[in-house]
């Protein structure tokens, strides 16, 4: 039975060691899974460098697992006919039958969503109006699950629809909703494989295979693919998924979440950190220890920081991408050097390589080439060289070296967690690497406990927003300097609570809007465009002209909707933290004062908040004022995902007398 468990609590509570049990497991986490193209053409011999990398590494004991991209065979001229042959047996079985390699390592198979999305061929299945194709492969959970089954996945990701950063907001939402539905469908099919749609004999075979594996307790582990380009959106995503799961009454367990669509953002450390914190915070507290978190396609030198945030597994393909450009990754410096320029980096081309990783087949004890010989082989024309070996073999070995460098970092991270020194490891790394330092600063924006810990360790060079003069300037500088992803809106450091105070303006609430609705502020500005606000506003649309929305800013207190585009509102970036007692008091005071001044102009006062600090502020303010309803009445937990739960939004709709027919059941 697939499952994820934590091995032990680490002494300092940073990072975690886990074990993911899968049919060919376990996978010891945190783990790095190299991407391997198991299928590089019509036979086991096709696939040039990829094939050599595969045959070179798949039988190694130190490998925790590999990642196979389900649709990658498309890049190698595989025909519908050869694909059916590949599907008759798993690659694992073929490699073994051929006497080539005993592959005991687990295989994680993604859903191929990215390739499907970019293809003309693989549309929706015929019953949904798509054209039939001779591959018998469609962009639907049924056909992808069958493919993952035939390929022998130990761990599978649900079919998702990746979101490029520049996509229009409504299309993003539509894609994310489709991904959620497809995850639900995948779990239903795993629960009862007989539900899988069939169109051919081969299909039936996949279903029987899956049923057989289930009976033997060998069914794959499932990671639900999740998306969202900011903290709030990924909370919305996870919340919506869990909502749907509960509605459908699905008992099929999941073992983790896997965050997609990160690759275009990987150079934006601060955005990555924000999304990963969002995902982590969105997982219900009582499930955190039995759900793993995977990040697709990012890691590398950021692995230690991401492990600190609680990421359990990574995959990478850069070892091969770099090798194809003859690039050799220099251990410790994270520099990729083209081998043709290698003489400027090492003293003696006839000596050894600057790598002393035992398991590296290129530079370690098994390696039989000097750097000069490797360069000659890679530059050789025609294809066959030394001992009749092809150039491709050397590309494969170069990829192996690059992977070993990434993997040795993963090993160091595991050791650091084991010895309770991961935070120290990350601090030391951040001091010599700007990207990591930026990331570490951003972590503190949402994790004030870490900030306090760095202060306690007197690591002032790494504490976010330093140069503390007064509490207020510290607040203003806290998350500053970010460039917002969507519109390059600049966030400024210079704001303090005095830069906007509605009580000092000659403000008059609009006439006719007789219901006051308080909502907590969002990271995205203007607030109305954020996921947290738009989800609510869309649902209460029928009552909209009676509702006066006032946002509770963690920095400024009440912000009426007509002021949302003021510069000071658009440009600050601050989230109310539990430690900031003074700020909590200031925001509460201003809210009470607003209510005392204008409260009697409204017939009804409602506050909707689920995050702990904002809910507390609003609760106290309403109590002090002596009127107002705090919603949701009784959320399951005080966290952001609750904001998005239909049950909770329904309470607000009912309070506003908006028709909720069919809403909770899902439309
Ligand atoms: Zn090496």
């Amino acid at each position: 039975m697939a499952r994820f468990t934590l091995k032990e609590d680490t002494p300092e509570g940073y990072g975690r060691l886990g074990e993911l049990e899968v049919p060919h497991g376990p996978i010891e986490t945190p783990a790095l899974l190299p991407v391997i193209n198991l299928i590089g053409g019509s036979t086991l011999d096709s696939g040039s460098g990829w094939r050599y990398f595969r045959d070179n590494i798949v039988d190694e004991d130190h490998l925790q697992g590999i990642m196979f991209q389900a649709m990658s065979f498309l890049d190698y001229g595989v025909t519908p006919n050869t694909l059916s042959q590949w599907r008759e047996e798993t690659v694992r079985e073929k490699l073994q039958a051929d006497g080539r390699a005993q592959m005991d390592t687990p295989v994680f198979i993604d859903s191929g969503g990215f390739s499907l999305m970019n293809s003309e061929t693989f549309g929706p299945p015929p019953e949904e109006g798509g054209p039939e194709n001779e591959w018998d492969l469609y962009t639907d959970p049924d056909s992808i699950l069958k493919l993952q089954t035939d390929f022998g996945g130990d761990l599978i990701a649900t079919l998702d629809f990746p979101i490029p950063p520049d996509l229009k907001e409504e299309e993003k939402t539509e894609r994310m909703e489709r991904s959620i539905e497809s995850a639900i469908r995948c779990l239903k099919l795993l629960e009862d494989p007989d539900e899988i749609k069939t169109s051919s004999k081969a299909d039936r075979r996949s279903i029987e295979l899956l049923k057989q594996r289930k009976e033997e307790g060998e069914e794959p582990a499932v990671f639900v693919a999740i998306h969202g380009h900011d903290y709030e959106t990924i909370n919305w995503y996870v919340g919506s998924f869990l909502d749907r799961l509960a509605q459908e009454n699905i008992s099929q367990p999941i073992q983790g979440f896997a965050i997609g669509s990160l690759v275009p953002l990987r150079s934006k450390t601060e955005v990555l950190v924000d999304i990963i914190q969002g995902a982590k915070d969105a997982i219900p507290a009582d499930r955190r220890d039995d759900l793993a978190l995977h990040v697709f396609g990012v890691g590398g030198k950021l692995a230690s920081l991401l492990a600190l945030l609680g990421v359990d597994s990574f995959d990478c393909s850069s070892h091969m991408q770099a090798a194809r450009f003859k690039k050799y990754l220099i251990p410790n410096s994270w520099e990729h050097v083209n081998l043709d320029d290698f003489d400027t980096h090492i003293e003696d081309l006839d000596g050894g390589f600057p790598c002393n990783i035992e398991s590296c087949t290129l530079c370690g004890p098994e390696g039989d080439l000097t750097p000069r010989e490797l360069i000659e082989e890679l530059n050789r024309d025609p294809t066959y060289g030394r001992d009749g070996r092809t150039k491709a073999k050397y590309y494969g070995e170069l990829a192996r070296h690059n992977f070993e460098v990434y993997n040795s970092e993963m090993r160091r991270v595991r050791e650091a967690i084991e010895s309770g020194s991961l935070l120290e490891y990350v601090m030391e790394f951040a001091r010599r690497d700007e990207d990591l330092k930026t990331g570490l600063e951003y972590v503190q924006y949402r994790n004030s406990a870490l900030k306090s810990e760095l202060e306690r360790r007197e690591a002032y060079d790494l504490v976010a927003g330093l140069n503390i003069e007064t509490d207020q300037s510290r607040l203003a500088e806290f998350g500053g300097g970010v460039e917002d992803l969507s519109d390059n809106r600049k966030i400024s450091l210079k704001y303090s609570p005095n830069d906007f105070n509605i009580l000092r303006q000659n403000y008059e609430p609009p006439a006719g809007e007789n219901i006051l609705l308080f909502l907590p502020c969002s990271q995205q500005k203007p607030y109305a465009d954020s996921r947290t606000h738009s989800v609510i506003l869309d649902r209460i649309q029928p009552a909209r002209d009676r509702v006066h929305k006032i946002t509770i800013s963690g920095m400024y207190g009440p912000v009426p909707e007509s002021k949302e585009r003021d510069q000071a509102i658009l440009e600050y970036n601050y989230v109310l933290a539990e430690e900031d007692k003074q700020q909590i008091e200031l925001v509460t005071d201003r809210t009470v004062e607003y209510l005392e001044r204008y409260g009697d102009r409204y017939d009804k006062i409602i506050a909707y908040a689920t995050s702990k600090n904002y809910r507390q502020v609003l609760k106290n303010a309403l109590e002090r004022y002596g009127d107002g309803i705090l919603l949701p009445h009784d959320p399951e937990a005080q966290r952001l995902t609750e904001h998005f739960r239909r049950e909770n939004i329904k309470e607000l709709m009912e309070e506003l007398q908006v028709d909720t027919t069919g809403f909770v059941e899902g439309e």
Side-chain angles (χ1 to χ4, degrees):
M1 197 55 182
R3 65 185 187 137
F4 178 73
T5 45
L6 284 192
K7 269 175 111 177
E8 54 195 290
D9 278 335
T10 50
E12 57 168 358
Y14 293 108
R16 58 189 208 166
L17 296 172
E19 201 169 76
L20 183 62
E21 282 176 44
V22 293
H24 292 89
I27 298 173
E28 305 284 338
T29 64
L32 173 65
L33 315 179
V35 170
I36 297 186
N37 283 0
L38 291 175
I39 300 174
S42 52
T43 71
L44 282 177
D45 282 329
S46 324
S48 62
W50 275 110
R51 169 236 151 155
Y52 283 98
F53 178 62
R54 176 195 68 200
D55 293 356
N56 170 303
I57 200 167
V58 291
D59 55 355
E60 296 286 0
D61 288 341
H62 72 293
L63 203 57
Q64 290 297 326
I66 64 169
M67 168 71 75
F68 175 47
Q69 294 170 326
M71 301 294 289
S72 56
F73 59 82
L74 288 173
D75 301 337
Y76 299 93
V78 170
T79 62
N81 199 23
T82 39
L83 179 65
S84 343
Q85 287 164 18
W86 276 112
R87 294 179 72 162
E88 284 165 10
E89 251 183 325
T90 63
V91 177
R92 186 192 302 280
E93 288 161 344
K94 283 194 169 66
L95 284 169
Q96 194 175 347
D98 198 53
R100 202 177 284 243
Q102 175 73 34
M103 176 170 141
D104 292 325
T105 203
V107 184
F108 183 174
I109 304 183
D110 79 354
S111 69
F114 186 78
S115 310
L116 292 166
M117 184 177 81
N118 291 305
S119 150
E120 297 277 307
T121 314
F122 308 103
E127 56 273 24
E128 282 169 31
E132 280 195 32
N133 66 58
E134 44 182 351
W135 300 82
D136 203 28
L137 262 181
Y138 301 96
T139 310
D140 77 330
D142 300 57
S143 84
I144 296 307
L145 178 59
K146 284 184 284 189
L147 191 68
Q148 290 166 323
T149 302
D150 291 353
F151 285 158
D154 293 276
L155 172 56
I156 59 171
T158 58
L159 173 64
D160 60 341
F161 302 84
I163 38 172
D166 48 1
L167 200 67
K168 274 202 272 180
E169 205 54 43
E170 66 225 52
E171 283 180 51
K172 276 187 195 170
T173 305
E174 192 207 317
R175 264 176 206 277
M176 290 190 287
E177 282 169 348
R178 283 174 74 193
S179 299
I180 290 170
E181 287 314 310
S182 119
I184 295 291
R185 171 85 186 158
C186 176
L187 293 171
K188 274 189 186 171
L189 300 178
L190 280 162
E191 197 165 63
D192 181 7
D194 281 323
E195 289 290 308
I196 301 176
K197 289 177 294 194
T198 52
S199 52
S200 67
K201 193 174 145 212
D203 274 0
R204 204 51 235 174
R205 193 192 144 269
S206 316
I207 295 169
E208 294 310 322
L209 202 55
L210 186 57
K211 283 164 77 174
Q212 189 194 329
R213 287 186 194 152
K214 269 178 77 99
E215 270 166 32
E216 292 166 359
E218 298 280 287
E219 65 185 312
V222 185
F223 279 14
V224 171
I226 57 176
H227 294 268
H229 281 165
D230 56 63
Y231 184 94
E232 287 149 14
T233 305
I234 203 149
N235 264 275
W236 167 83
Y237 192 109
V238 174
S240 308
F241 167 74
L242 293 173
D243 237 14
R244 290 284 294 122
L245 200 61
Q247 266 171 28
E248 295 285 342
N249 214 0
I250 294 172
S251 62
Q252 180 70 28
I254 62 169
Q255 288 74 31
F257 288 106
I259 314 177
S261 304
L262 294 175
V263 172
L265 310 172
R266 65 181 149 195
S267 58
K268 303 199 179 221
T269 320
E270 69 278 11
V271 182
L272 271 184
V273 160
D274 193 48
I275 294 173
I276 292 166
Q277 284 180 311
K280 206 71 201 174
D281 292 350
I283 299 173
D286 61 345
R287 298 297 314 275
R288 263 173 220 161
D289 293 352
D290 56 45
L291 290 175
L293 186 65
H294 180 87
V295 289
F296 282 115
V298 297
K301 70 176 178 182
L302 295 178
S304 55
L305 178 69
L306 302 186
L308 185 86
L309 296 179
V311 174
D312 301 294
S313 57
F314 304 83
D315 63 90
C316 74
S317 60
S318 21
H319 51 280
M320 183 52 90
Q321 288 159 16
R324 283 163 63 186
F325 293 97
K326 288 196 279 189
K327 285 185 173 167
Y328 180 99
L329 180 54
I330 309 271
N332 304 319
S333 77
W334 297 98
E335 202 182 348
H336 286 91
V337 176
N338 189 307
L339 283 171
D340 292 334
D341 306 324
F342 214 41
D343 51 353
T344 59
H345 281 78
I346 62 169
E347 277 176 24
D348 181 11
L349 284 181
D350 298 309
F353 285 95
C355 153
N356 49 15
I357 301 171
E358 197 71 9
S359 49
C360 179
T361 52
L362 178 68
C363 332
E366 279 180 55
D368 58 356
L369 293 182
T370 63
R372 189 184 303 282
E373 286 165 342
L374 175 66
I375 295 164
E376 276 170 15
E377 291 298 336
L378 291 175
N379 288 329
R380 187 183 291 277
D381 198 36
T383 317
Y384 284 90
R386 190 175 294 261
D387 310 332
R389 289 187 279 190
T390 74
K391 262 207 293 202
K393 177 182 177 353
Y394 300 106
Y395 281 104
E397 289 207 348
L398 185 53
R400 170 70 185 260
H401 157 81
N402 291 338
F403 169 71
E404 292 296 336
V405 176
Y406 290 122
N407 202 37
S408 61
E409 173 68 5
M410 201 74 257
R411 210 159 29 228
R412 284 191 291 273
V413 168
R414 268 202 302 270
E415 285 162 9
I417 299 174
E418 227 159 3
S419 63
S421 58
L422 183 63
L423 181 56
E424 263 165 74
Y425 184 88
V426 172
M427 287 163 63
E428 194 264 323
F429 203 151
R431 287 188 169 119
R432 52 193 164 84
D433 188 282
E434 273 306 310
D435 293 334
L436 213 85
K437 191 174 178 198
T438 308
L440 184 59
E441 279 184 21
Y442 271 85
V443 173
Q444 299 167 56
Y445 173 57
R446 295 218 182 251
N447 184 343
S448 42
L450 178 64
K451 185 165 191 262
S452 311
E453 178 60 26
L454 290 173
E455 283 167 346
R456 198 185 65 76
R457 294 181 185 216
E458 301 183 354
Y460 298 116
D461 55 329
L462 301 173
V463 172
L466 207 72
N467 306 319
I468 303 169
E469 284 167 325
T470 68
D471 272 346
Q472 289 188 350
S473 77
R474 184 175 67 87
L475 287 171
E477 286 168 12
F478 203 42
V482 201
E483 258 186 68
D484 187 82
L485 195 84
S486 51
D487 53 6
N488 284 332
R489 173 177 56 91
K490 293 272 187 214
I491 307 248
S492 172
L493 302 174
K494 67 181 187 212
Y495 292 102
S496 78
N498 294 329
D499 290 307
F500 180 93
N501 182 352
I502 193 63
L503 304 161
R504 293 211 200 121
Q505 300 189 8
N506 241 338
Y507 178 73
E508 284 300 316
E513 297 181 352
N514 61 341
I515 302 171
L516 168 56
L517 174 63
F518 284 122
L519 290 180
C521 63
S522 58
Q523 184 180 21
Q524 172 121 23
K525 315 285 185 319
Y527 301 132
D529 291 352
S530 71
R531 176 107 4 213
T532 43
H533 284 220
S534 59
V535 159
I536 301 294
L537 300 181
D538 285 353
R539 287 300 167 184
I540 62 165
Q541 196 53 42
R544 193 66 183 92
D545 55 357
R546 291 181 284 127
V547 171
H548 185 215
K549 182 188 79 170
I550 296 205
T551 303
I552 297 300
S553 155
M555 172 80 85
Y556 307 119
V559 179
E561 48 184 325
S562 59
K563 303 287 180 185
E564 281 185 19
R565 288 175 185 275
D566 283 16
Q567 203 180 359
I569 307 298
L570 288 173
E571 294 184 350
Y572 83 98
N573 198 18
Y574 174 72
V575 179
L576 211 51
E578 201 171 350
E579 287 75 12
D580 293 319
K581 305 275 181 232
Q582 257 187 312
Q583 193 61 19
I584 287 179
E585 212 171 292
L586 176 143
V587 173
T588 311
D589 288 347
R590 285 188 186 179
T591 307
V592 173
E593 205 181 326
Y594 181 91
L595 285 168
E596 280 167 353
R597 201 179 290 182
Y598 306 110
D600 57 6
R601 309 209 185 176
Y602 303 98
D603 296 332
K604 197 179 245 184
I605 296 164
I606 304 172
Y608 183 89
T610 63
S611 297
K612 193 172 170 218
N613 299 324
Y614 289 87
R615 190 169 166 94
Q616 197 58 48
V617 161
L618 283 161
K619 184 170 185 274
N620 292 345
L622 296 181
E623 273 170 14
R624 272 168 57 187
Y625 174 63
D627 187 20
I629 304 159
L630 179 65
L631 294 180
H633 287 295
D634 188 19
E636 273 178 35
Q638 297 204 8
R639 30 190 223 108
L640 186 57
T641 40
E642 290 296 314
H643 180 97
F644 301 109
R645 285 185 99 100
R646 283 169 183 257
E647 288 288 352
N648 294 336
I649 296 176
K650 190 181 171 199
E651 287 183 32
L652 175 62
M653 292 163 76
E654 282 168 350
E655 201 58 62
L656 295 171
Q657 291 169 339
V658 172
D659 182 15
T660 59
T661 314
F663 173 59
V664 171
E665 292 70 33
E667 292 149 299

